[in-house]
Amino acid sequence: MADCCSPGTGARARSDQGRPLGPGQPLPLPTIRDRPVASTAVENAASLTAEADVEIPAGTFAMGDPFGEGYDADGESPVHEVRISAFRISATTVTNEAFAGFVDATGHRTESELYGTSAVFHLAVKARPEDILNRVEAVPWWLNVRGADWAHPAGPLSHWTDIPDHPVTHVSYNDALAYCAWAGRRLPTEAEWEYAARGGLAGRRYPWGNELLKGTPGEAAHNCNIWQGEFPVRNDLDDGYLTTAPARSYNPNGYGLYQTSGNVWEWCSDWFLPKYYRTCLARGTVEDPPGPTIGRGRVMRGGSYLCHDSYCNRYRLAARSSNTPDSAGANLGFRTVAL
């Protein structure tokens, strides 16, 4: 799926034979400035296997979009009843620092590193012009950047040590599975993710309620990290961030999870099949559904810093998207569940 949510596999497949972008392209490139590459050394890697867990009690909830705001192709309806067993999930997405511990311990090379390129949002690139290979077809705000990967999230002139507490990005579904295998954990199912993300609030649009912005005088207006301004050419930075925010930014939900709306998309274990909710409804209350046995990609949940209601209203709790298991980009990460 190639849109503001994700560049899809086309970011790598259509590299324009490695030629850099020429003049006269439709979107402006940011000013590039060199910065030193810091050391990747991380101490006490074993202590960084996962972020702190929160306990999620067993319960039943209504899964899906009760407002009719979803995209038909995403299959957010019908709303159906799901019963979930108790489990433990990380309060935040896996951070750069935690992922660095995994890499130091195992020598894992992500698929972005193996491909040699990954997708970066056009206003955030830190790379030399010759490393900007092409714009992604149909979504030109995504640039295919040589040397962009988890350790260089904005391109080769950036480094994870500048943002150690931010979510790791440029990790594919397959990379997330490798991390989980090392850490003795797993990815959440889509049903577990939505149940935990709701924080005990039934039928709400967001983890904090139904209104996007806070209305209490004296409080910061924003509850999450999404786009403000004119997408994709101007971000007014009203929430303070052009791209990722630290993983523990904003208030947690009622269960203690941070940023289940916005910041970065999160991989779930399920295959993505838009008609799956209809199958669930026909079964009555479903218990701990593992998702369909086939699909056109793996489920992503939560939205990202690029979501905006003018183009991609997928930062709602019920919103769904998907991508192929080898896809990665600058707004896609993951959180994990205890075995």
Side-chain angles (χ1 to χ4, degrees):
M1 179 175 294
D3 51 28
C4 67
C5 303
S6 168
T9 53
R12 291 169 179 153
R14 291 183 291 274
S15 63
D16 197 25
Q17 292 75 51
R19 292 193 296 271
L21 285 167
Q25 297 295 315
L27 293 177
L29 291 176
T31 299
I32 305 299
R33 61 182 179 87
D34 289 344
R35 59 168 55 185
V37 175
S39 168
T40 60
V42 176
E43 297 179 359
N44 301 319
S47 67
L48 298 173
T49 57
E51 303 299 316
D53 282 344
V54 294
E55 298 281 347
I56 307 298
T60 301
F61 79 110
M63 185 173 182
D65 172 28
F67 300 98
E69 297 172 334
Y71 301 96
D72 290 342
D74 290 350
E76 293 182 29
S77 62
V79 175
H80 56 286
E81 191 170 83
V82 177
R83 183 174 297 123
I84 296 292
S85 301
F87 66 102
R88 292 167 52 224
I89 188 170
S90 56
T92 74
T93 52
V94 174
T95 63
N96 284 316
E97 186 176 24
F99 199 82
F102 157 62
V103 170
D104 280 2
T106 65
H108 179 81
R109 295 189 68 201
T110 61
E111 293 193 278
S112 292
E113 291 170 284
L114 294 173
Y115 281 113
T117 70
S118 193
V120 180
F121 183 66
H122 76 111
L123 295 181
V125 173
K126 292 183 173 66
R128 295 176 180 86
E130 60 267 27
D131 288 328
I132 302 171
L133 301 182
N134 68 290
R135 300 182 188 275
V136 182
E137 187 176 329
V139 282
W141 46 86
W142 282 112
L143 303 182
N144 186 28
V145 178
R146 180 165 41 217
D149 53 47
W150 79 269
H152 308 90
L157 301 182
S158 65
H159 203 270
W160 75 264
T161 51
D162 293 332
I163 49 171
D165 57 346
H166 287 226
V168 68
T169 56
H170 299 285
V171 287
S172 68
Y173 176 86
N174 298 323
D175 295 324
L177 290 186
Y179 178 96
C180 288
W182 170 73
R185 300 176 69 82
R186 63 177 175 84
L187 291 176
T189 67
E190 183 179 19
E192 287 173 333
W193 189 96
E194 184 172 328
Y195 179 59
R198 290 187 175 279
L201 292 182
R204 298 298 194 271
R205 188 176 279 114
Y206 308 114
W208 54 86
N210 286 333
E211 300 301 321
L212 179 61
L213 301 178
K214 296 177 183 176
T216 305
E219 280 193 301
H222 294 280
N223 292 295
C224 64
N225 176 20
I226 56 175
W227 187 273
Q228 299 90 43
E230 182 186 352
F231 184 84
V233 296
R234 190 191 78 253
N235 191 328
D236 296 334
L237 303 179
D238 289 346
D239 62 9
Y241 302 101
L242 174 63
T243 61
T244 57
R248 289 183 179 268
S249 301
Y250 307 99
N251 292 325
N253 72 7
Y255 288 151
L257 275 69
Y258 288 83
Q259 300 203 75
T260 53
S261 284
N263 211 24
V264 295
W265 282 95
E266 301 179 25
W267 287 114
C268 293
S269 63
D270 301 36
W271 287 105
F272 181 79
L273 193 66
K275 65 181 181 181
Y276 180 63
Y277 284 13
R278 298 200 298 271
T279 301
C280 291
L281 182 66
R283 290 167 50 195
T285 301
V286 291
E287 297 189 19
D288 296 320
T293 57
I294 59 172
R296 66 182 190 211
R298 295 290 181 172
V299 170
M300 308 187 309
R301 283 301 206 110
S304 84
Y305 57 81
L306 294 181
C307 284
H308 187 269
D309 61 7
S310 70
Y311 190 85
C312 173
N313 186 20
R314 290 191 177 97
Y315 47 90
R316 297 166 294 105
L317 287 169
R320 318 169 70 213
S321 193
S322 68
N323 218 327
T324 57
D326 64 340
S327 292
N331 67 338
L332 178 54
F334 67 106
R335 75 178 73 214
T336 65
V337 170
L339 294 177

